[in-house]
Amino acid sequence: MITFYRNHPTMIGLAWTGRHVMIIQCQYDTNSVLHVHTSYHAPIESIRKNCAETLSQHLSIGYKVMNVTFFPPNIVQYLLVLE
């Protein structure tokens, strides 16, 4: 099950300015998304159950991976930034 934390939905296609941050936590052994955290007005694509697909979609709209952290035993956290 994906837990998605966001207070204000923002859809792709709306104008935005500034820097936006997204944190995606995935289970390493199953390639599944566990949690997604975003800044309030961050533009997002659909969050998929598959971690690789979720990362791919957000990289395609301009997010860049700023950091990857491994939390034993099997969680990987990605910090993405869009400027």
Side-chain angles (χ1 to χ4, degrees), residues 52-72:
E53 180 63 22
T54 298
L55 287 168
S56 174
Q57 287 180 325
H58 287 87
L59 293 173
S60 73
I61 63 169
Y63 279 92
K64 291 183 173 48
V65 176
M66 299 304 286
N67 194 351
V68 177
T69 305
F70 178 70
F71 296 104

Side-chain angles (χ1 to χ4, degrees), residues 23-28 34 67-79:
I23 299 170
I24 301 173
Q25 293 178 341
C26 298
Q27 189 166 344
Y28 177 76
L34 299 174
N67 194 351
V68 177
T69 305
F70 178 70
F71 296 104
N74 62 355
I75 295 176
V76 179
Q77 178 175 285
Y78 300 90
L79 174 63

Side-chain angles (χ1 to χ4, degrees), residues 8-77:
H8 304 287
T10 303
M11 302 302 287
I12 294 301
L14 298 176
W16 71 86
T17 59
R19 178 180 288 186
H20 302 286
V21 175
M22 173 178 277
I23 299 170
I24 301 173
Q25 293 178 341
C26 298
Q27 189 166 344
Y28 177 76
D29 57 346
T30 62
N31 189 33
S32 57
V33 174
L34 299 174
H35 304 284
V36 176
H37 307 272
T38 68
S39 53
Y40 286 132
H41 301 288
I44 62 163
E45 288 285 340
S46 300
I47 304 301
R48 306 289 183 183
K49 290 180 183 180
N50 182 289
C51 189
E53 180 63 22
T54 298
L55 287 168
S56 174
Q57 287 180 325
H58 287 87
L59 293 173
S60 73
I61 63 169
Y63 279 92
K64 291 183 173 48
V65 176
M66 299 304 286
N67 194 351
V68 177
T69 305
F70 178 70
F71 296 104
N74 62 355
I75 295 176
V76 179
Q77 178 175 285

